[in-house]
């Protein structure tokens, strides 16, 4: 990593507020107004998807079981993951416990979805604020809009709930302070990242190296050591100690050999496509800021893995990269020796985001998000017959409809493991139910032979109970 070159003096990056009371207040409120707008959009998207039965047990149901356990002062056990499975033995995310007080007040999966929308929307503030400092209020606001519409954030908000929602604002505030050379504040924002997920100590280590190469030797060494030691402790000690198999399940996807390192990192071409998609919304100008190097740890572990799901644009994996790339973009705009092309570059960024919008989840807010699922009424009627606290195995698409008030296992995995819950909640496509996942369909005809009787059925949504109950 090369030493970040000091940027030329520019009034727009002076932390002191400019003169002109009303004008300044209007400019400083823009980031917050923009964040509020995206909070509404993200919340509407994720909540309507859940109400349309488009959420799943993997992963919304799993995370709700963890937060529900924290709210009840228990270990974060998820029956959907496995009987007695402590989720801290799968991924290390104790920061989820901070949602417990809110969930205790509002025990519903909508609490998690709304919290995720708020966390992601919060990151719009530092991105927009830095962009305003390095350009103009108008251009900075445009960059904030492009960031809020970025594909990585949209994909994350649309895919259930995940712990990385906490990392998005933490990284955004950290990098904003790095750009403004507020070193200690940046380190403080970086510190909680190790509580979000076990791969983020790598990013914390990179932040420490950035501080070191920026001339903050003692602080940089301390942050780097903190990142390295916490990462080793989490992956080699804590997770194996809590994992049912006594090991870190995902380590083998990073250690299996697959050709020489360069080939493994760059091929198949899908990985290069991800890089292009990351940089294109910034007109590739993010490459001119040293802040963009902080994306390397996340890209490295994803591309090194043998799991193809990590390589592309889907799911939530790129959400943590969005604040890094866009804050690097804002920082790079302030480093331009000639400010004349700034407007054109920002126009390219906004245009790229708008052109991608018809292919991204937020497009649903134009209409499809507000159409109720044809199975919604049937699901409400059938699930109402399940008593609170019941033990039930449910198909993936129906599991998060019950995780707030029942002990939900995964169908058919629970039956395969020998667990015999009292109830089964099934959707049978052959009888007009929701489309099921391929691994669920072959087990549906076997249910009566396992000792279960049909209690209630509406539109292919079926509720079974053990015959001897």
């Amino acid at each position: 990593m090369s030493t970040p070159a000091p940027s030329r003096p520019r009034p727009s990056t002076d932390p002191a507020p400019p003169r002109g009371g009303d004008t300044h207040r209007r400019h400083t409120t823009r980031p917050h107004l923009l964040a509020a707008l995206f909070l509404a959009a993200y919340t509407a998207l994720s909540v309507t998807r859940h109400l349309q039965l488009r959420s799943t047990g993997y992963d919304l149901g799993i995370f709700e079981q963890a937060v529900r356990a924290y709210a009840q002062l228990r270990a974060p056990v998820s029956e959907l993951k496995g009987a007695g499975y402590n989720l801290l033995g799968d991924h290390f995310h104790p920061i989820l416990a901070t949602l417990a007080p809110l969930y205790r007040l509002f025990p519903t999966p909508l609490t998690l979805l709304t919290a995720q929308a708020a966390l992601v929307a919060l990151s719009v503030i530092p991105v927009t604020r830095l962009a305003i400092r390095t350009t103009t209020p108008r251009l900075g606001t445009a960059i904030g809009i492009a960031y809020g519409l970025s594909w990585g954030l949209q994909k994350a908000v649309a895919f259930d709930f995940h712990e990385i929602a906490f990392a998005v604002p933490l990284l955004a505030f950290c990098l904003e302070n790095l750009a403004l050379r507020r070193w200690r504040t940046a380190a403080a924002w970086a510190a909680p990242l190790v509580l979000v997920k076990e791969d983020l100590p790598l990013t914390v280590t990179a932040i420490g190296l950035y501080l070191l190469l920026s001339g903050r030797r003692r602080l940089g060494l301390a942050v780097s050591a903190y990142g390295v030691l916490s990462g080793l402790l989490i992956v080699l000690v804590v997770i194996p100690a809590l994992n049912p198999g006594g090991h870190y399940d995902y380590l083998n996807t990073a250690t299996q050999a697959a050709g020489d390192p360069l080939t493994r990192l760059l091929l198949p071409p899908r990985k290069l496509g991800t890089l292009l998609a990351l940089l294109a919304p910034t007109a590739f100008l993010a490459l001119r800021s040293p802040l963009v190097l902080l994306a390397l740890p996340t890209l490295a572990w994803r591309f090194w893995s043998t799991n193809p799901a990590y390589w592309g644009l889907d799911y939530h994996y790129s959400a943590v990269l969005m604040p890094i790339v866009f804050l690097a973009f804002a920082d790079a705009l302030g480093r331009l020796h000639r400010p004349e092309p700034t407007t054109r570059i920002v126009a390219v960024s906004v245009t790229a985001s708008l052109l991608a919008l018809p292919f991204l989840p937020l497009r649903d807010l134009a209409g499809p998000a507000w159409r109720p699922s044809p199975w919604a009424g049937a699901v409400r009627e059938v699930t109402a017959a399940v008593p609170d606290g019941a033990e039930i195995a449910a198909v993936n698409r129906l599991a998060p409809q019950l995780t707030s008030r029942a002990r939900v296992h995964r169908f058919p995995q629970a039956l395969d493991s020998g667990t015999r819950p009292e109830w089964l909640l099934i959707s049978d496509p052959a009888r007009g139910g929701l489309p099921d996942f391929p691994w669920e369909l072959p087990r549906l005809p076997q249910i009566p032979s396992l000792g279960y009787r049909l209690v209630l059925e509406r539109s292919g949504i079926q509720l079974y109970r053990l015959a001897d109950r």
Side-chain angles (χ1 to χ4, degrees):
M1 183 183 297
S2 58
T3 304
S7 57
R8 60 184 176 87
R10 52 187 185 273
S12 60
T13 57
D14 188 347
R19 298 174 183 174
D22 292 340
T23 302
H24 173 58
R25 279 192 294 273
R26 186 166 63 251
H27 293 167
T28 54
T29 57
R30 289 189 183 195
H32 299 82
L33 292 174
L34 203 55
L37 177 63
F38 279 110
L39 168 60
Y42 296 155
T43 302
L45 176 66
S46 56
V47 168
T48 54
R49 286 178 66 88
H50 176 68
L51 297 178
Q52 290 177 328
L53 308 177
R54 297 169 70 185
S55 59
T56 56
Y58 266 62
D59 293 311
L60 178 58
I62 287 176
F63 281 109
E64 185 182 8
Q65 288 180 330
V67 174
R68 183 185 180 195
Y70 280 130
Q72 296 173 351
L73 302 181
R74 296 186 289 108
V77 169
S78 171
E79 290 83 6
L80 281 167
K81 188 72 177 177
Y85 198 109
N86 189 326
L87 285 185
L88 292 177
D90 182 46
H91 290 299
F92 187 74
H93 38 53
I95 201 167
L96 290 178
T98 61
L99 294 178
L102 186 62
Y103 186 85
R104 196 171 182 88
L105 292 173
F106 307 101
T108 164
L110 300 184
T111 298
L112 274 68
L113 297 174
T114 304
Q116 175 172 258
L119 288 165
V120 175
L122 182 62
S123 69
V124 172
I125 295 175
V127 173
T128 308
R129 192 162 54 195
L130 181 66
I132 288 175
R133 285 183 178 275
T134 58
T135 59
T136 66
R138 179 173 58 85
L139 295 178
T141 303
I143 293 171
I145 293 172
Y147 169 73
L149 294 176
S150 62
W151 59 268
L153 298 187
Q154 290 196 49
K155 294 277 190 176
V157 170
F159 181 43
D160 288 3
F161 171 91
H162 296 88
E163 71 282 89
I164 54 88
F166 285 93
V168 176
L170 289 173
L171 281 168
F173 283 105
C174 174
L175 267 71
E176 179 197 24
N177 283 282
L178 287 178
L180 297 176
R181 306 179 72 83
R182 298 169 181 166
W183 309 122
R184 291 187 179 276
T185 305
W189 281 108
L193 286 170
V194 303
L195 304 177
V196 177
K197 200 175 179 183
E198 66 277 4
D199 61 279
L200 287 168
L202 292 172
T203 301
V204 174
T205 303
I207 292 170
L209 293 175
Y210 186 99
L211 292 168
L212 180 64
L213 295 173
S214 298
R216 309 300 294 183
R217 182 175 179 181
R218 292 174 62 182
L219 182 61
L221 287 173
V223 173
S224 294
Y226 170 69
V228 170
L229 294 176
S230 61
L232 292 174
L233 179 65
I234 291 167
V235 172
L236 300 181
V237 179
V238 177
I239 292 180
L242 299 173
N243 184 278
H247 54 80
Y248 177 44
D249 291 338
Y250 304 92
L251 194 59
N252 64 336
T253 66
T255 56
Q256 293 174 357
D260 66 89
L262 185 60
T263 300
R264 183 169 175 177
L265 286 172
L266 298 180
L267 295 177
R270 183 180 177 188
K271 299 175 183 178
L272 296 176
T274 298
L275 290 176
L276 291 175
L278 281 171
L279 297 171
T282 73
F284 296 90
L285 196 68
L287 293 172
R288 297 190 60 172
S289 169
L291 291 174
V292 78
L293 296 177
L294 299 179
L296 290 179
T298 297
L299 288 170
W301 77 254
R302 284 178 57 187
F303 290 175
W304 189 259
S305 172
T306 57
N307 185 350
Y310 297 152
W311 303 341
L313 309 184
D314 293 325
Y315 310 117
H316 57 288
Y317 300 115
S318 295
V320 297
L321 298 174
M322 295 295 111
I324 297 175
V325 170
F326 274 87
L327 282 159
F329 178 40
D331 181 58
L333 287 171
R335 295 170 180 269
L336 291 177
H337 296 294
R338 294 185 303 105
E340 293 81 7
T342 301
T343 301
R344 293 195 298 272
I345 294 171
V346 174
V348 170
S349 175
V350 175
T351 301
S353 297
L354 293 176
L355 288 176
L357 189 56
F359 307 97
L360 293 172
L362 280 176
R363 71 182 184 276
D364 289 350
L365 295 183
W370 312 105
R371 300 170 191 161
S373 167
W375 296 280
V379 170
R380 282 194 299 269
E381 185 176 351
V382 173
T383 55
V386 179
D388 291 348
E391 188 171 21
I392 185 169
V395 293
N396 198 26
R397 294 192 188 278
L398 298 179
Q401 306 300 318
L402 282 171
T403 43
S404 62
R405 63 182 186 87
R407 291 185 59 198
V408 184
H409 300 265
R410 190 182 182 193
F411 177 89
Q413 284 78 1
L415 300 178
D416 294 337
S417 65
T419 302
R420 284 175 58 82
E422 181 179 356
W423 303 84
L424 297 180
L425 180 61
I426 306 300
S427 175
D428 189 350
R431 299 177 64 87
L434 275 163
D436 282 341
F437 288 88
W439 59 83
E440 297 168 343
L441 293 173
R443 300 301 302 274
L444 300 186
Q446 304 171 11
I447 292 174
S449 65
L450 297 175
Y452 288 90
R453 59 182 176 87
L454 183 63
V455 175
L456 183 62
E457 179 178 6
R458 296 290 185 273
S459 301
I461 310 300
Q462 301 174 333
L463 180 65
Y464 287 85
R465 191 178 186 185
L466 279 173
D468 56 358
R469 297 297 179 94

